[in-house]
């Protein structure tokens, strides 16, 4: 195998040396529904480089899944060796290079659009329910999976509006609100 010395003999075959790559660094992003990674806070460290050979590697990185969480597995793909002595080395094409160095933080829904199916209800003596549709960045969220709802049922007429609060869960965090009213039926008496 290659040991860093130049070989000048024509009848000697020098084998390429295998390197062991590892992911170095940590990274974090806000939930965006994808496994993509963009940034420059991750790199590949190479174990097994001989003497003072200057060898580096570049790679594409990807999260193992798109969900919010800590200690997320990041996998390096398409690893390419670079440097003047790169031709003397190789990385086993079957090796999987991954590390638990990623974080995906939940997306804040405080700026979400909360549209109610009814904003004005007429008093009928019974408990009434309004249903919110929550949209963040053009994506409609799923009740029960992406958020919980409170304050969306009421019965009585009151001077001020009722407030519906949606609270992010899973891949979402924070709260957003909308209001509705219950009033008596206007009857014109003539």
């Amino acid at each position: 195998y290659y040991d860093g010395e130049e070989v000048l003999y024509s009848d000697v075959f020098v084998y390429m040396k295998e390197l062991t790559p590892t992911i170095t660094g940590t990274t974090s992003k806000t939930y965006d529904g994808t496994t993509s990674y963009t940034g420059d806070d991750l790199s590949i460290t190479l174990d097994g480089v001989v003497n003072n050979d200057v060898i580096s590697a570049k790679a594409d990185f990807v999260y193992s899944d798109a969900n919010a969480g800590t200690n997320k597995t990041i996998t390096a793909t398409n690893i390419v060796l670079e440097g003047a002595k790169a031709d003397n080395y190789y990385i086993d094409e079957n090796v999987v290079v991954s590390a638990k160095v990623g974080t995906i933080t939940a997306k804040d829904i405080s700026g979400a659009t909360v549209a109610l199916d009814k904003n004005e209800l007429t008093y009928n003596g019974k408990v009434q329910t309004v249903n919110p549709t929550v949209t963040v960045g053009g994506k409609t969220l799923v009740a029960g999976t992406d958020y919980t709802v409170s304050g969306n049922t009421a019965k009585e007429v009151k001077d001020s509006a009722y407030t519906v609060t949606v609270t992010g869960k899973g891949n979402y965090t924070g709260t957003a609100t909308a209001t509705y009213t219950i009033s008596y039926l206007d009857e014109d008496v003539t």
Side-chain angles (χ1 to χ4, degrees), residues 42 80 147 149 186:
L42 296 179
V80 176
Y147 64 91
V149 182
D186 286 335

Side-chain angles (χ1 to χ4, degrees), residues 3 20 23 31-32 38 54 58 83 91 111 137 141 149 169 177-178:
D3 66 1
T20 303
I23 297 174
Y31 173 75
D32 63 3
T38 57
V54 178
K58 65 179 181 178
I91 295 172
L141 304 187
V149 182
K169 66 179 279 193
T177 61

Side-chain angles (χ1 to χ4, degrees), residues 21-181:
T22 56
I23 297 174
T24 303
T26 59
T27 189
S28 179
K29 73 172 188 172
T30 300
Y31 173 75
D32 63 3
T34 72
T35 59
S36 65
Y37 162 83
T38 57
D40 58 5
D41 40 5
L42 296 179
S43 61
I44 295 291
T45 299
L46 300 169
D47 184 38
V49 176
V50 174
N51 297 335
N52 296 321
D53 283 356
V54 178
I55 303 292
S56 62
K58 65 179 181 178
D60 297 324
F61 299 97
V62 64
Y63 283 85
S64 60
D65 66 73
N67 295 319
T70 58
N71 294 317
K72 306 287 289 182
T73 298
I74 302 279
T75 300
T77 60
N78 303 318
I79 301 172
V80 176
L81 297 176
E82 299 179 317
K85 303 275 183 160
D87 289 343
N88 295 321
Y89 297 92
Y90 75 99
I91 295 172
D92 183 340
E93 63 185 33
N94 296 315
V95 70
V96 176
V97 182
S98 61
K100 293 186 177 204
V101 295
T103 297
I104 299 178
T105 58
K107 186 177 183 76
D108 188 3
I109 65 167
S110 62
T113 301
V114 180
L116 302 178
D117 60 348
K118 297 170 266 189
N119 293 92
E120 298 176 1
L121 303 173
T122 301
Y123 176 77
N124 65 7
K126 299 176 185 176
V127 173
Q128 299 184 69
T129 302
V130 295
N131 298 300
T133 298
V134 181
T135 307
V136 177
K139 178 183 178 184
T140 301
L141 304 187
V142 178
T145 299
D146 299 326
Y147 64 91
T148 59
V149 182
S150 61
N152 64 324
T153 58
K155 176 180 177 182
E156 304 299 325
V157 174
K158 67 177 195 172
D159 293 335
S160 59
Y162 288 96
T163 300
V164 174
T165 302
V166 294
T167 303
K169 66 179 279 193
N171 293 316
Y172 297 91
T173 188
T175 60
T177 61
T179 59
Y180 65 99
T181 59

